[in-house]
Amino acid sequence: MNTEPFVSFDNIAKRWNGQLGVENISIDIPEGTFVALLGPSGCGKSTTLRLLAGLEIPDEGSIHIEGTDVTEMAPSARNLSMVFQSYALFPHLSVAENVMFGMKVRKVPKDERLKKLENALRITGLLGYEERKPGELSGGQRQRVALARAIVAGQPLCLMDEPLSNLDAKLRHSVRKDIKKLQKDLGMTVVYVTHDQTEAMSMADLIILMKDGHIMQAGTPQELYNIPQNTFAAEFIGAPPMALIDGDVIPGTEHAHKVGLRTEDVELVEAGQGRISCTVSESEYLGDETHVLLDHPKAKGLVVKLHGYSSLQEGSSVDITFEDSALHFFDGDGKRIN
Ligand code: ADP
Ligand code: MG
């Protein structure tokens, strides 16, 4: 059996005149995996993707695709398709011509071209726009043309850099599902850059969480959510993020610098009845539930979710309680203590 990863990064580093792009990047991606490169702006997501695409050459380390060393190979020789933030459409060609451009170059028969075109336009919600020029489309529509073009390319590896960032929330949600379904149906390996943890959590089989050019944690969405390896992951993953409480607040947790607690593990009780006393700072009513934000001088991000509407007054005193088993512990460097 071939156990080689489909894509692998081995200790990759990229710098520009000493300025750090990424460092110590090692990733193994099995075939057919949806990988999200996740992290805040400037953390090195696009650089990592561009290294895989061949648009950048690393200073250190090697990259393999299907066992072939592609570290210094031209982008065109890597058998991959790309969807980037900037759409890179031909302005003088119609939507249909833009989408079919690559297929025409590769001399795909016309029948097949038209069939693939229709499928891709249907998936991206662009049926009826075949004859428009990019200049006659909104930013979101142009992004979908770029997506359709990658879909018809039919390459086993597809790289996407924040492809949904120009779409409105509703469309983003539906295209997200379409991309995921397509990836599954075609068995494609997708490497997907996003700064949006919801997008990564809902789409990815494997999340690579990055900060300042380094990998902070790599794992399944469940692993990142349930077993964050550091306070960065704890606060980046989840909405709301994990609350972090100073270790000396809860008796018995003094060994930890910070104690993490997820909102679903927090229960609101009457003042004097719980384990930590807080003040209500703000309530966000969302219809089905209310997020009650709590203030404590030694805790950050404490939120309780209450069913329906809550009439808790700002400034009122409440207590929270929780099980010991719900607590996460982190040391002074922010690393998880197991
Ligand atoms: P992200 O996509 O996560 O927002 P990038 O990968 O674009 O981040 O950038 C990572 C870091 O590398 C940033 O500090 C950025 O300024 C730097 N960087 C990216 N490309 C270049 C470049 N061509 N020259 C110099 N620095 C760059
Ligand atoms: Mg980027």
Side-chain angles (χ1 to χ4, degrees), residues 14-17 19-22 37-50 56 85 161-162 193-195 210 212-213:
K14 174 71 189 172
R15 298 176 194 89
W16 292 273
N17 305 318
Q19 142 99 33
L20 182 66
V22 297
L37 299 175
L38 175 67
S41 178
C43 72
K45 306 179 295 294
S46 295
T47 301
T48 306
L49 202 71
R50 290 170 59 80
E56 302 283 357
Q85 263 161 333
D161 194 338
E162 314 236 13
V193 164
T194 180
H195 63 271
M210 302 181 67
D212 298 338

Side-chain angles (χ1 to χ4, degrees), residues 151-204:
I151 288 167
V152 301
Q155 297 284 11
L157 177 59
C158 183
L159 314 187
M160 302 190 183
D161 194 338
E162 314 236 13
L164 309 184
S165 50
N166 292 312
L167 309 189
D168 63 56
K170 202 171 161 194
L171 195 58
R172 199 155 60 215
H173 189 83
S174 75
V175 179
R176 197 157 91 190
K177 285 198 274 188
D178 289 331
I179 292 179
K180 182 65 191 170
K181 183 170 187 314
L182 197 81
Q183 177 265 335
K184 263 196 183 154
D185 290 352
L186 300 181
M188 265 192 304
T189 307
V190 170
V191 185
Y192 186 102
V193 164
T194 180
H195 63 271
D196 179 346
Q197 66 94 24
T198 312
E199 222 169 85
M201 290 294 278
S202 60
M203 295 176 94

